[in-house]
Amino acid sequence: MSDDASEIEASSAKQTVDPIKSFLSGGFGGISCVLVGHPFDLTKTRLQTAAPGTYSGAVDVVRKTIAQDGIRGMYRGITPPILGVTPIFAISFWGYDLGKRIVYSFTPNRTSQHLSIGELAMAGGFSAVPATLVAAPAERVKVLLQVQGQGGQSAYSGPIDVVRKLYAEGGLRSLFRGTGATLLRDGPGSAVYFATYELLKKALSAAPETLPNGEKAPAPPLSLPAVMLAGGSAGVAMWSLAIPPDTIKSRLQSAPHGTYTGFMDCARKLIAADGVTALWKGFGPAMARAFPANAATFVGVELSLKAMDKLW
């Protein structure tokens, strides 16, 4: 095969994955993300929702949480993410692959199947739409479990109790409070997330060697450290953009019924009370969590894809 033929073959291969594999690999990535990232996420959420003066910073949150509940306290509310994030990530990675298929369907006459960074970002942004249907109620339950106990009292005995009480309070509407805020966070965030990963993955990939007969050798697989670097950097890029809407989402989802009329009302009241810097509460823990949690996510995704490719 000539160099030209190799290039034609490469350009004709679509950047998509079997839908079942994309779904399952996302689930494995989600479990990896939660196990590594939950203590950081709890710290971020408590900083975002606590009354001014409750904590002096992230280290103070950790110190007081462990003093009150032990190390187990850092994993308060982990059940909803494990049960929720697994399908959320599965749907997100499946949605990302579906988004790429949609891009291809709208560009049938393209000369190359290689997707641009802009097209990958569009596919990433689309992935947030189906994922939010699961993410919003899971985040609502998680946030309420994470913030309880700060004043010494616990209103809920566990995730099922949260769901039961929220439904009794306001039906499905109460359970899905913060859905719009979740989409405002995850739409742009996912676009940046997947585009950054693909960009760094390409930059870190070794160029295929030319064999003595002139043919291109198969590109070597991305090393584990490279996957971790690309995945961790993607997480940092996403959360650099997502913290303000995430802060508003956490406030909306943890506040008593009737406190805010919606996303903009919450943002307005938060800025009026604590200044615009309040939108960036929890930035430190979010950044501390972003790299290791998302490095673990993409390691889980890539390793599970590799294993599934060997099976079928």
Side-chain angles (χ1 to χ4, degrees), residues 38 41 44-45 49 76-81 84-85 88 131-148 155-156 158-182 185-186 246 248-260:
H38 190 78
D41 190 58
K44 170 185 69 68
T45 301
T49 58
R76 267 186 183 268
I78 195 172
T79 303
V85 168
I88 289 166
T132 295
L133 297 176
V134 179
E139 291 262 328
R140 172 91 152 117
V141 173
K142 181 199 74 174
V143 166
L144 288 172
L145 286 172
Q146 285 181 330
V147 302
Q148 74 170 353
Y156 307 104
I160 301 300
D161 190 42
V162 177
V163 173
R164 182 174 59 81
K165 289 179 178 177
L166 288 178
Y167 189 79
E169 174 190 274
L172 288 176
R173 184 173 183 178
S174 178
L175 189 60
F176 277 82
R177 185 200 294 177
T179 298
T182 303
R185 178 195 69 179
D186 290 349
D246 183 67
I248 297 169
K249 179 199 72 67
S250 294
R251 289 276 179 145
L252 269 174
Q253 292 184 322
S254 64
H257 179 67
T259 304
Y260 306 111

Side-chain angles (χ1 to χ4, degrees), residues 70-211:
I71 193 67
R72 185 177 179 181
M74 296 303 298
Y75 284 89
R76 267 186 183 268
I78 195 172
T79 303
I82 286 289
L83 297 178
V85 168
T86 302
I88 289 166
F89 272 63
I91 293 170
S92 178
F93 277 81
W94 169 82
Y96 175 51
D97 191 70
L98 178 59
K100 290 189 283 188
R101 293 174 188 274
I102 291 173
V103 171
Y104 283 128
S105 71
F106 277 93
T107 55
N109 299 320
R110 60 191 304 132
T111 56
S112 171
Q113 300 301 326
H114 182 77
L115 297 173
S116 68
I117 292 301
E119 290 172 327
L120 292 169
M122 289 175 61
F126 172 82
S127 73
V129 176
T132 295
L133 297 176
V134 179
E139 291 262 328
R140 172 91 152 117
V141 173
K142 181 199 74 174
V143 166
L144 288 172
L145 286 172
Q146 285 181 330
V147 302
Q148 74 170 353
Q150 294 183 97
Q153 296 180 339
S154 296
Y156 307 104
S157 60
I160 301 300
D161 190 42
V162 177
V163 173
R164 182 174 59 81
K165 289 179 178 177
L166 288 178
Y167 189 79
E169 174 190 274
L172 288 176
R173 184 173 183 178
S174 178
L175 189 60
F176 277 82
R177 185 200 294 177
T179 298
T182 303
L183 187 58
L184 285 172
R185 178 195 69 179
D186 290 349
S190 294
V192 171
Y193 185 62
F194 285 107
T196 300
Y197 180 72
E198 298 287 1
L199 186 65
L200 290 177
K201 185 178 177 180
K202 181 180 178 181
L204 294 168
S205 296
E209 296 181 0
T210 302
L211 299 175

